[in-house]
């Protein structure tokens, strides 16, 4: 999925290109991604609406529509989603096209998703809490006034889960996905299956510093390289996508682990597993309800 550094690059482009545009039609080429949380049909809702604002909320892109209905169009790209804006007259339809907004000037905003895991929501403005994952949004990781070491330690306090699960909890932290969680854990030299309750203040401070450095560096790298809107840059990452390759820090072979349905890439030497804390975590989950 587009993660926070990707969205920091993509959303301003979408805002610059689309703010003020008028929608004349919409097409759901992959109906499985569409969720209309209103009684009307899609083709009765969107034509004539103007795009008043484009913003990010957690892992989603929010298109605020300026017509009398006061609607939001929200796209959650998930694993493989990406955006493109066509030139007027473009007729070629890509095989991964899931949803399109047709604009009055002849362009189209296209949401492409080859695995169809993303979702496109049309709903009344202010109803974002009806979208799974957007009810609560955590600490803004790129705002130094909000994301302090003290605030991060407070967010970790009382957590019963594994550290990779915690880092990817968007209700706590806004926001890390799978790839950048791996990069942060590598930078901080923390094992992805470490129990949050077993982390010391020093380890939490290392994680905080790693989040700031990794997301900041990635955001600057993507901006400097100016990729195409639908291109996802990952070649500069140190461990993500590199299982079996030498660790860039120590040379040991990077490994893959499973963490509650997500894979994690880590270095067994730089990020040694604390088996005692993991065992305590599992025993605690068996004892405690919920």
């Amino acid at each position: 999925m587009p993660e926070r550094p990707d969205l920091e690059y993509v959303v301003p482009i979408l805002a610059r290109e689309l703010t003020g545009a008028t929608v004349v039609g919409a097409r759901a080429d992959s109906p499985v991604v569409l969720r209309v949380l209103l009684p009307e049909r899609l083709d009765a809702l969107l034509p004539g609406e103007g795009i008043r604002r484009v913003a990010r909320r957690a892992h989603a892109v929010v298109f605020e529509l300026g017509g009398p209905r006061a609607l939001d169009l929200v796209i959650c790209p998930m694993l493989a989603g990406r955006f493109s804006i066509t030139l007027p007259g473009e007729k070629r339809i890509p095989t991964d096209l899931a949803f399109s907004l047709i604009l009055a000037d002849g362009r189209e905003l296209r949401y492409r998703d080859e695995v169809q895991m993303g979702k496109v929501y049309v709903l009344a403005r202010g109803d974002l809490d009806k979208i799974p994952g957007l009810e609560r949004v955590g600490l803004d990781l790129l705002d130094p006034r909000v994301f302090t070491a003290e605030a991060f330690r407070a967010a970790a306090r009382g957590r019963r889960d594994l550290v990779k699960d915690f880092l990817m909890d968007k209700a706590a932290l806004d926001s890390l996905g799978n790839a950048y969680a791996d990069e942060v854990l590598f930078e901080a030299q923390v094992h992805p299956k470490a129990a949050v309750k077993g982390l010391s203040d020093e380890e939490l401070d290392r994680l905080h510093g790693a989040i700031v450095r990794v997301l900041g560096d990635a955001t600057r790298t993507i901006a400097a390289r100016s990729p195409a809107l639908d291109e996802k840059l990952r070649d500069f990452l140190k461990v993500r996508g590199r299982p079996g390759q030498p660790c860039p820090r120590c040379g040991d072979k990077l490994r893959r682990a499973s963490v509650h349905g997500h894979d994690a890439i880590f270095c067994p030497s730089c990020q040694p597993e604390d088996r005692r804390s993991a065992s305590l975590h599992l025993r605690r989950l068996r004892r405690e309800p919920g």
Side-chain angles (χ1 to χ4, degrees):
M1 66 177 266
E3 296 193 25
R4 181 64 187 274
D6 307 304
L7 292 173
E8 290 295 312
Y9 175 74
V10 166
V11 172
I13 294 175
L14 294 175
R16 183 182 69 237
E17 292 293 325
L18 300 176
T19 300
T22 299
V23 178
V24 295
R27 183 176 65 239
D29 289 75
S30 177
V32 70
V33 307
L34 186 62
R35 301 287 186 274
V36 179
L37 305 185
L38 292 163
E40 297 95 331
R41 289 168 48 91
L42 180 69
D43 54 8
L45 283 169
L46 296 184
E49 295 286 316
I51 300 176
R52 187 165 74 176
R53 180 170 174 262
V54 184
R56 180 193 65 86
R57 181 173 173 85
H59 56 287
V61 181
V62 180
F63 300 85
E64 184 179 300
L65 304 180
R69 296 175 183 270
L71 302 175
D72 282 335
L73 172 74
V74 181
I75 301 180
C76 301
M78 300 299 288
L79 180 65
R82 51 190 176 144
F83 298 92
S84 63
I85 301 173
T86 70
L87 294 173
E90 173 64 54
K91 301 298 184 184
R92 185 181 63 87
I93 304 298
T95 58
D96 61 353
L97 183 61
F99 179 84
S100 302
L101 282 184
I102 304 161
L103 306 177
D105 61 9
R107 297 180 299 162
E108 288 187 23
L109 168 67
R110 290 178 170 177
Y111 170 63
R112 299 167 61 182
D113 189 340
E114 61 186 10
V115 298
Q116 300 183 21
M117 288 180 62
K119 295 291 178 284
V120 178
Y121 296 88
V122 181
L123 68 170
R125 188 169 308 139
D127 282 353
L128 295 181
D129 59 350
K130 294 182 178 179
I131 299 176
L134 298 190
E135 308 95 322
R136 291 191 302 123
V137 176
L139 298 170
D140 186 340
L141 301 183
L142 290 179
D143 186 343
R145 299 165 300 177
V146 172
F147 187 59
T148 63
E150 294 77 13
F152 181 63
R153 287 199 298 268
R157 194 172 298 127
R159 300 285 301 210
R160 296 168 49 204
D161 47 358
L162 302 181
V163 65
K164 178 150 185 178
D165 292 328
F166 166 54
L167 292 180
M168 295 176 62
D169 179 3
K170 293 172 179 59
L173 306 173
D174 179 22
S175 53
L176 282 169
N178 211 19
Y180 284 99
D182 282 354
E183 296 296 303
V184 164
L185 289 165
F186 175 75
E187 177 75 10
Q189 300 185 52
V190 174
H191 194 280
K193 291 188 177 182
V196 177
K197 292 187 75 170
L199 297 176
S200 66
D201 283 349
E202 188 272 335
E203 287 172 314
L204 289 172
D205 286 347
R206 285 210 316 263
L207 278 168
H208 173 267
I211 290 170
V212 173
R213 288 191 300 276
V214 167
L215 290 189
D217 289 349
T219 300
R220 289 186 288 272
T221 296
I222 293 171
R225 289 174 57 177
S226 301
L229 187 62
D230 60 354
E231 181 182 357
K232 183 167 62 175
L233 290 182
R234 290 288 189 269
D235 59 0
F236 60 90
L237 299 185
K238 295 178 180 178
V239 297
R240 188 66 192 173
R242 304 182 190 276
Q245 297 183 25
C247 168
R249 183 186 290 123
C250 75
D252 199 356
K253 184 181 293 187
L254 297 175
R255 294 183 185 174
R256 187 194 307 271
S258 177
V259 182
H260 294 150
H262 296 282
D263 66 333
I265 312 302
F266 70 101
C267 173
S269 296
C270 295
Q271 300 163 263
E273 182 175 4
D274 183 346
R275 296 188 181 277
R276 182 182 63 85
S277 66
S279 177
L280 286 172
H281 168 74
L282 290 173
R283 289 204 299 272
R284 186 179 299 114
L285 286 181
R286 293 189 186 106
R287 285 198 312 268
E288 298 180 12

